Amino acid sequence: KKINIDESDATSRSIGNIVIKAGETEAQVITTALTSKSRIFVTPNKPVAVGAKAKDPTTIIVELKETLSEDLEVNWWVVN
């Protein structure tokens, strides 16, 4: 079954993408879509280990174990 996700309000999006800049190990996603039961999924655009965690009720931290020499695009998705 196809699921359509409303992305019209940038502050409450539950799906998107971010860039972790070269030389950095993390980036933040700000969204009001998080709840205490949220599951956060991340997929990098190349084969590297990446993780995600909720920092607080509106912030997701997407992080790498070590820095990279080039920018890394990461898709993220919050499921409630």
Side-chain angles (χ1 to χ4, degrees), residues 1 6-7 15-18 20-22 25 33 35 40 42 44 46 49 58-59 63-64 70-74 77-78:
K1 182 176 183 180
D6 181 2
E7 297 182 68
I15 195 167
N17 63 351
I18 52 112
I20 301 177
K21 297 289 186 184
T25 58
T35 71
I40 304 166
V42 290
K46 43 179 118 167
T58 61
T59 308
E63 57 189 339
L64 300 170
E70 57 190 38
D71 291 354
L72 178 69
E73 184 176 337
V74 179
W77 181 25
V78 175

PDB file of all heavy atoms in Angstrom, residues 1 6-7 15-18 20-22 25 33 35 40 42 44 46 49 58-59 63-64 70-74 77-78:
ATOM      1  N   LYS A   1       0.825  -1.167   0.000  1.00  0.00           N
ATOM      2  CA  LYS A   1       0.000   0.000   0.000  1.00  0.00           C
ATOM      3  C   LYS A   1       0.880   1.245   0.000  1.00  0.00           C
ATOM      4  O   LYS A   1       1.837   1.328   0.759  1.00  0.00           O
ATOM      5  CB  LYS A   1      -0.903  -0.019   1.233  1.00  0.00           C
ATOM      6  CG  LYS A   1      -1.837   1.131   1.310  1.00  0.00           C
ATOM      7  CD  LYS A   1      -2.761   0.976   2.512  1.00  0.00           C
ATOM      8  CE  LYS A   1      -3.732   2.118   2.527  1.00  0.00           C
ATOM      9  NZ  LYS A   1      -4.641   2.029   3.658  1.00  0.00           N
ATOM     10  N   ASP A   6       2.810  14.235   3.988  1.00  0.00           N
ATOM     11  CA  ASP A   6       2.656  15.680   3.817  1.00  0.00           C
ATOM     12  C   ASP A   6       3.921  16.386   4.300  1.00  0.00           C
ATOM     13  O   ASP A   6       4.261  16.322   5.474  1.00  0.00           O
ATOM     14  CB  ASP A   6       1.439  16.156   4.613  1.00  0.00           C
ATOM     15  CG  ASP A   6       1.189  17.647   4.481  1.00  0.00           C
ATOM     16  OD1 ASP A   6       1.932  18.324   3.748  1.00  0.00           O
ATOM     17  OD2 ASP A   6       0.244  18.128   5.129  1.00  0.00           O
ATOM     18  N   GLU A   7       4.636  17.044   3.390  1.00  0.00           N
ATOM     19  CA  GLU A   7       5.859  17.768   3.726  1.00  0.00           C
ATOM     20  C   GLU A   7       5.666  19.279   3.627  1.00  0.00           C
ATOM     21  O   GLU A   7       6.632  20.023   3.569  1.00  0.00           O
ATOM     22  CB  GLU A   7       6.991  17.358   2.788  1.00  0.00           C
ATOM     23  CG  GLU A   7       7.381  15.911   2.878  1.00  0.00           C
ATOM     24  CD  GLU A   7       8.527  15.589   1.952  1.00  0.00           C
ATOM     25  OE1 GLU A   7       9.640  16.082   2.200  1.00  0.00           O
ATOM     26  OE2 GLU A   7       8.302  14.873   0.965  1.00  0.00           O
ATOM     27  N   ILE A  15      10.037  13.317   7.218  1.00  0.00           N
ATOM     28  CA  ILE A  15      10.964  12.739   6.256  1.00  0.00           C
ATOM     29  C   ILE A  15      11.753  13.873   5.601  1.00  0.00           C
ATOM     30  O   ILE A  15      11.259  14.990   5.472  1.00  0.00           O
ATOM     31  CB  ILE A  15      10.205  11.905   5.191  1.00  0.00           C
ATOM     32  CG1 ILE A  15      11.151  11.011   4.411  1.00  0.00           C
ATOM     33  CG2 ILE A  15       9.365  12.792   4.290  1.00  0.00           C
ATOM     34  CD1 ILE A  15      10.434   9.948   3.582  1.00  0.00           C
ATOM     35  N   GLY A  16      13.000  13.592   5.243  1.00  0.00           N
ATOM     36  CA  GLY A  16      13.806  14.618   4.594  1.00  0.00           C
ATOM     37  C   GLY A  16      15.235  14.152   4.382  1.00  0.00           C
ATOM     38  O   GLY A  16      15.531  12.959   4.477  1.00  0.00           O
ATOM     39  N   ASN A  17      16.101  15.092   4.116  1.00  0.00           N
ATOM     40  CA  ASN A  17      17.520  14.763   3.969  1.00  0.00           C
ATOM     41  C   ASN A  17      18.363  15.909   4.517  1.00  0.00           C
ATOM     42  O   ASN A  17      17.919  17.042   4.605  1.00  0.00           O
ATOM     43  CB  ASN A  17      17.887  14.423   2.529  1.00  0.00           C
ATOM     44  CG  ASN A  17      17.681  15.580   1.589  1.00  0.00           C
ATOM     45  OD1 ASN A  17      17.121  16.600   1.936  1.00  0.00           O
ATOM     46  ND2 ASN A  17      18.129  15.424   0.372  1.00  0.00           N
ATOM     47  N   ILE A  18      19.564  15.562   4.936  1.00  0.00           N
ATOM     48  CA  ILE A  18      20.523  16.533   5.460  1.00  0.00           C
ATOM     49  C   ILE A  18      21.892  16.190   4.896  1.00  0.00           C
ATOM     50  O   ILE A  18      22.093  15.118   4.328  1.00  0.00           O
ATOM     51  CB  ILE A  18      20.575  16.528   7.013  1.00  0.00           C
ATOM     52  CG1 ILE A  18      20.795  15.106   7.555  1.00  0.00           C
ATOM     53  CG2 ILE A  18      19.329  17.102   7.617  1.00  0.00           C
ATOM     54  CD1 ILE A  18      22.105  14.949   8.183  1.00  0.00           C
ATOM     55  N   ILE A  20      25.934  15.963   6.078  1.00  0.00           N
ATOM     56  CA  ILE A  20      26.999  16.047   7.066  1.00  0.00           C
ATOM     57  C   ILE A  20      28.223  16.538   6.300  1.00  0.00           C
ATOM     58  O   ILE A  20      28.695  15.873   5.371  1.00  0.00           O
ATOM     59  CB  ILE A  20      27.270  14.696   7.745  1.00  0.00           C
ATOM     60  CG1 ILE A  20      26.002  14.191   8.446  1.00  0.00           C
ATOM     61  CG2 ILE A  20      28.434  14.818   8.729  1.00  0.00           C
ATOM     62  CD1 ILE A  20      26.134  12.819   9.083  1.00  0.00           C
ATOM     63  N   LYS A  21      28.700  17.701   6.658  1.00  0.00           N
ATOM     64  CA  LYS A  21      29.799  18.339   5.938  1.00  0.00           C
ATOM     65  C   LYS A  21      31.110  17.585   6.142  1.00  0.00           C
ATOM     66  O   LYS A  21      31.338  16.978   7.196  1.00  0.00           O
ATOM     67  CB  LYS A  21      29.983  19.782   6.413  1.00  0.00           C
ATOM     68  CG  LYS A  21      28.785  20.671   6.143  1.00  0.00           C
ATOM     69  CD  LYS A  21      28.672  20.946   4.679  1.00  0.00           C
ATOM     70  CE  LYS A  21      27.576  21.950   4.399  1.00  0.00           C
ATOM     71  NZ  LYS A  21      27.371  22.167   2.988  1.00  0.00           N
ATOM     72  N   ALA A  22      31.969  17.633   5.132  1.00  0.00           N
ATOM     73  CA  ALA A  22      33.296  17.027   5.203  1.00  0.00           C
ATOM     74  C   ALA A  22      34.012  17.537   6.452  1.00  0.00           C
ATOM     75  O   ALA A  22      33.939  18.721   6.778  1.00  0.00           O
ATOM     76  CB  ALA A  22      34.095  17.368   3.955  1.00  0.00           C
ATOM     77  N   THR A  25      31.316  15.234  12.130  1.00  0.00           N
ATOM     78  CA  THR A  25      30.804  13.907  12.456  1.00  0.00           C
ATOM     79  C   THR A  25      29.304  13.877  12.707  1.00  0.00           C
ATOM     80  O   THR A  25      28.749  12.803  12.948  1.00  0.00           O
ATOM     81  CB  THR A  25      31.500  13.317  13.701  1.00  0.00           C
ATOM     82  OG1 THR A  25      31.310  14.215  14.796  1.00  0.00           O
ATOM     83  CG2 THR A  25      32.977  13.081  13.436  1.00  0.00           C
ATOM     84  N   ALA A  33       7.940  16.352  14.647  1.00  0.00           N
ATOM     85  CA  ALA A  33       7.329  15.039  14.389  1.00  0.00           C
ATOM     86  C   ALA A  33       7.725  13.978  15.420  1.00  0.00           C
ATOM     87  O   ALA A  33       7.121  12.918  15.472  1.00  0.00           O
ATOM     88  CB  ALA A  33       7.696  14.548  12.994  1.00  0.00           C
ATOM     89  N   THR A  35       8.085  11.826  18.794  1.00  0.00           N
ATOM     90  CA  THR A  35       7.336  11.499  20.008  1.00  0.00           C
ATOM     91  C   THR A  35       8.211  10.553  20.828  1.00  0.00           C
ATOM     92  O   THR A  35       9.276  10.113  20.360  1.00  0.00           O
ATOM     93  CB  THR A  35       6.000  10.796  19.703  1.00  0.00           C
ATOM     94  OG1 THR A  35       6.267   9.469  19.233  1.00  0.00           O
ATOM     95  CG2 THR A  35       5.168  11.567  18.693  1.00  0.00           C
ATOM     96  N   ILE A  40      13.528   6.269  14.331  1.00  0.00           N
ATOM     97  CA  ILE A  40      14.249   7.134  13.399  1.00  0.00           C
ATOM     98  C   ILE A  40      15.089   6.249  12.484  1.00  0.00           C
ATOM     99  O   ILE A  40      15.897   5.452  12.962  1.00  0.00           O
ATOM    100  CB  ILE A  40      15.156   8.125  14.150  1.00  0.00           C
ATOM    101  CG1 ILE A  40      14.340   8.945  15.150  1.00  0.00           C
ATOM    102  CG2 ILE A  40      15.892   9.027  13.161  1.00  0.00           C
ATOM    103  CD1 ILE A  40      15.192   9.697  16.168  1.00  0.00           C
ATOM    104  N   VAL A  42      17.738   6.213   9.098  1.00  0.00           N
ATOM    105  CA  VAL A  42      18.628   7.034   8.277  1.00  0.00           C
ATOM    106  C   VAL A  42      19.303   6.160   7.227  1.00  0.00           C
ATOM    107  O   VAL A  42      19.620   4.999   7.480  1.00  0.00           O
ATOM    108  CB  VAL A  42      19.696   7.763   9.122  1.00  0.00           C
ATOM    109  CG1 VAL A  42      19.068   8.858   9.953  1.00  0.00           C
ATOM    110  CG2 VAL A  42      20.473   6.815  10.006  1.00  0.00           C
ATOM    111  N   PRO A  44      22.431   6.683   4.326  1.00  0.00           N
ATOM    112  CA  PRO A  44      23.409   7.536   3.653  1.00  0.00           C
ATOM    113  C   PRO A  44      23.432   7.250   2.157  1.00  0.00           C
ATOM    114  O   PRO A  44      23.014   6.181   1.718  1.00  0.00           O
ATOM    115  CB  PRO A  44      24.738   7.132   4.304  1.00  0.00           C
ATOM    116  CG  PRO A  44      24.528   5.713   4.719  1.00  0.00           C
ATOM    117  CD  PRO A  44      23.062   5.599   5.062  1.00  0.00           C
ATOM    118  N   LYS A  46      26.045   6.808   0.400  1.00  0.00           N
ATOM    119  CA  LYS A  46      27.167   5.907   0.101  1.00  0.00           C
ATOM    120  C   LYS A  46      27.374   4.971   1.278  1.00  0.00           C
ATOM    121  O   LYS A  46      26.862   5.235   2.366  1.00  0.00           O
ATOM    122  CB  LYS A  46      28.442   6.652  -0.261  1.00  0.00           C
ATOM    123  CG  LYS A  46      28.803   7.820   0.555  1.00  0.00           C
ATOM    124  CD  LYS A  46      30.097   8.421   0.084  1.00  0.00           C
ATOM    125  CE  LYS A  46      29.858   9.820  -0.379  1.00  0.00           C
ATOM    126  NZ  LYS A  46      31.058  10.562  -0.571  1.00  0.00           N
ATOM    127  N   ALA A  49      28.949   3.819   7.819  1.00  0.00           N
ATOM    128  CA  ALA A  49      28.144   3.622   9.028  1.00  0.00           C
ATOM    129  C   ALA A  49      27.620   4.966   9.515  1.00  0.00           C
ATOM    130  O   ALA A  49      28.375   5.921   9.665  1.00  0.00           O
ATOM    131  CB  ALA A  49      28.990   2.962  10.109  1.00  0.00           C
ATOM    132  N   THR A  58      12.542  17.861  19.837  1.00  0.00           N
ATOM    133  CA  THR A  58      12.465  18.419  18.480  1.00  0.00           C
ATOM    134  C   THR A  58      13.766  18.285  17.685  1.00  0.00           C
ATOM    135  O   THR A  58      13.871  18.833  16.595  1.00  0.00           O
ATOM    136  CB  THR A  58      12.087  19.914  18.511  1.00  0.00           C
ATOM    137  OG1 THR A  58      13.094  20.632  19.242  1.00  0.00           O
ATOM    138  CG2 THR A  58      10.725  20.122  19.130  1.00  0.00           C
ATOM    139  N   THR A  59      14.751  17.567  18.216  1.00  0.00           N
ATOM    140  CA  THR A  59      16.051  17.497  17.543  1.00  0.00           C
ATOM    141  C   THR A  59      16.533  16.065  17.376  1.00  0.00           C
ATOM    142  O   THR A  59      16.573  15.301  18.339  1.00  0.00           O
ATOM    143  CB  THR A  59      17.121  18.277  18.334  1.00  0.00           C
ATOM    144  OG1 THR A  59      16.639  19.589  18.607  1.00  0.00           O
ATOM    145  CG2 THR A  59      18.427  18.367  17.560  1.00  0.00           C
ATOM    146  N   GLU A  63      24.725  10.991  13.082  1.00  0.00           N
ATOM    147  CA  GLU A  63      26.160  11.021  13.331  1.00  0.00           C
ATOM    148  C   GLU A  63      26.940   9.899  12.661  1.00  0.00           C
ATOM    149  O   GLU A  63      26.414   8.828  12.382  1.00  0.00           O
ATOM    150  CB  GLU A  63      26.435  11.028  14.831  1.00  0.00           C
ATOM    151  CG  GLU A  63      25.854   9.878  15.596  1.00  0.00           C
ATOM    152  CD  GLU A  63      25.968  10.065  17.104  1.00  0.00           C
ATOM    153  OE1 GLU A  63      26.814  10.847  17.573  1.00  0.00           O
ATOM    154  OE2 GLU A  63      25.205   9.412  17.814  1.00  0.00           O
ATOM    155  N   LEU A  64      28.216  10.215  12.451  1.00  0.00           N
ATOM    156  CA  LEU A  64      29.189   9.283  11.896  1.00  0.00           C
ATOM    157  C   LEU A  64      30.180   8.908  12.989  1.00  0.00           C
ATOM    158  O   LEU A  64      30.418   9.699  13.913  1.00  0.00           O
ATOM    159  CB  LEU A  64      29.972   9.941  10.758  1.00  0.00           C
ATOM    160  CG  LEU A  64      29.183  10.444   9.562  1.00  0.00           C
ATOM    161  CD1 LEU A  64      30.084  11.274   8.656  1.00  0.00           C
ATOM    162  CD2 LEU A  64      28.609   9.268   8.803  1.00  0.00           C
ATOM    163  N   GLU A  70      34.695  14.106   2.311  1.00  0.00           N
ATOM    164  CA  GLU A  70      33.718  14.790   1.469  1.00  0.00           C
ATOM    165  C   GLU A  70      32.349  14.794   2.147  1.00  0.00           C
ATOM    166  O   GLU A  70      32.092  14.008   3.055  1.00  0.00           O
ATOM    167  CB  GLU A  70      33.640  14.148   0.088  1.00  0.00           C
ATOM    168  CG  GLU A  70      33.313  12.672   0.100  1.00  0.00           C
ATOM    169  CD  GLU A  70      33.482  12.034  -1.276  1.00  0.00           C
ATOM    170  OE1 GLU A  70      34.404  12.384  -2.006  1.00  0.00           O
ATOM    171  OE2 GLU A  70      32.654  11.175  -1.591  1.00  0.00           O
ATOM    172  N   ASP A  71      31.480  15.693   1.703  1.00  0.00           N
ATOM    173  CA  ASP A  71      30.136  15.784   2.266  1.00  0.00           C
ATOM    174  C   ASP A  71      29.381  14.468   2.081  1.00  0.00           C
ATOM    175  O   ASP A  71      29.598  13.754   1.102  1.00  0.00           O
ATOM    176  CB  ASP A  71      29.336  16.891   1.573  1.00  0.00           C
ATOM    177  CG  ASP A  71      29.847  18.287   1.883  1.00  0.00           C
ATOM    178  OD1 ASP A  71      30.758  18.427   2.720  1.00  0.00           O
ATOM    179  OD2 ASP A  71      29.317  19.230   1.280  1.00  0.00           O
ATOM    180  N   LEU A  72      28.499  14.166   3.030  1.00  0.00           N
ATOM    181  CA  LEU A  72      27.676  12.967   2.970  1.00  0.00           C
ATOM    182  C   LEU A  72      26.209  13.360   3.077  1.00  0.00           C
ATOM    183  O   LEU A  72      25.800  13.987   4.052  1.00  0.00           O
ATOM    184  CB  LEU A  72      28.022  12.008   4.111  1.00  0.00           C
ATOM    185  CG  LEU A  72      27.184  10.733   4.179  1.00  0.00           C
ATOM    186  CD1 LEU A  72      27.503   9.810   3.009  1.00  0.00           C
ATOM    187  CD2 LEU A  72      27.385  10.031   5.505  1.00  0.00           C
ATOM    188  N   GLU A  73      25.419  12.993   2.078  1.00  0.00           N
ATOM    189  CA  GLU A  73      23.977  13.224   2.134  1.00  0.00           C
ATOM    190  C   GLU A  73      23.323  12.038   2.827  1.00  0.00           C
ATOM    191  O   GLU A  73      23.638  10.885   2.537  1.00  0.00           O
ATOM    192  CB  GLU A  73      23.393  13.394   0.736  1.00  0.00           C
ATOM    193  CG  GLU A  73      21.918  13.736   0.758  1.00  0.00           C
ATOM    194  CD  GLU A  73      21.343  14.001  -0.623  1.00  0.00           C
ATOM    195  OE1 GLU A  73      22.106  14.338  -1.539  1.00  0.00           O
ATOM    196  OE2 GLU A  73      20.123  13.865  -0.761  1.00  0.00           O
ATOM    197  N   VAL A  74      22.405  12.347   3.746  1.00  0.00           N
ATOM    198  CA  VAL A  74      21.715  11.303   4.504  1.00  0.00           C
ATOM    199  C   VAL A  74      20.211  11.575   4.462  1.00  0.00           C
ATOM    200  O   VAL A  74      19.760  12.670   4.775  1.00  0.00           O
ATOM    201  CB  VAL A  74      22.188  11.280   5.989  1.00  0.00           C
ATOM    202  CG1 VAL A  74      21.453  10.204   6.763  1.00  0.00           C
ATOM    203  CG2 VAL A  74      23.692  11.082   6.066  1.00  0.00           C
ATOM    204  N   TRP A  77      13.970   9.545   8.233  1.00  0.00           N
ATOM    205  CA  TRP A  77      12.532   9.285   8.278  1.00  0.00           C
ATOM    206  C   TRP A  77      12.143   8.983   9.724  1.00  0.00           C
ATOM    207  O   TRP A  77      12.766   8.153  10.381  1.00  0.00           O
ATOM    208  CB  TRP A  77      12.232   8.085   7.388  1.00  0.00           C
ATOM    209  CG  TRP A  77      10.800   7.674   7.270  1.00  0.00           C
ATOM    210  CD1 TRP A  77       9.690   8.438   7.442  1.00  0.00           C
ATOM    211  CD2 TRP A  77      10.323   6.382   6.913  1.00  0.00           C
ATOM    212  NE1 TRP A  77       8.555   7.706   7.210  1.00  0.00           N
ATOM    213  CE2 TRP A  77       8.913   6.439   6.892  1.00  0.00           C
ATOM    214  CE3 TRP A  77      10.945   5.176   6.618  1.00  0.00           C
ATOM    215  CZ2 TRP A  77       8.120   5.340   6.587  1.00  0.00           C
ATOM    216  CZ3 TRP A  77      10.152   4.087   6.307  1.00  0.00           C
ATOM    217  CH2 TRP A  77       8.763   4.164   6.298  1.00  0.00           C
ATOM    218  N   VAL A  78      11.115   9.657  10.213  1.00  0.00           N
ATOM    219  CA  VAL A  78      10.590   9.416  11.555  1.00  0.00           C
ATOM    220  C   VAL A  78       9.252   8.693  11.404  1.00  0.00           C
ATOM    221  O   VAL A  78       8.364   9.163  10.684  1.00  0.00           O
ATOM    222  CB  VAL A  78      10.372  10.754  12.320  1.00  0.00           C
ATOM    223  CG1 VAL A  78       9.704  10.497  13.654  1.00  0.00           C
ATOM    224  CG2 VAL A  78      11.686  11.499  12.485  1.00  0.00           C
TER     225      VAL A  78
END
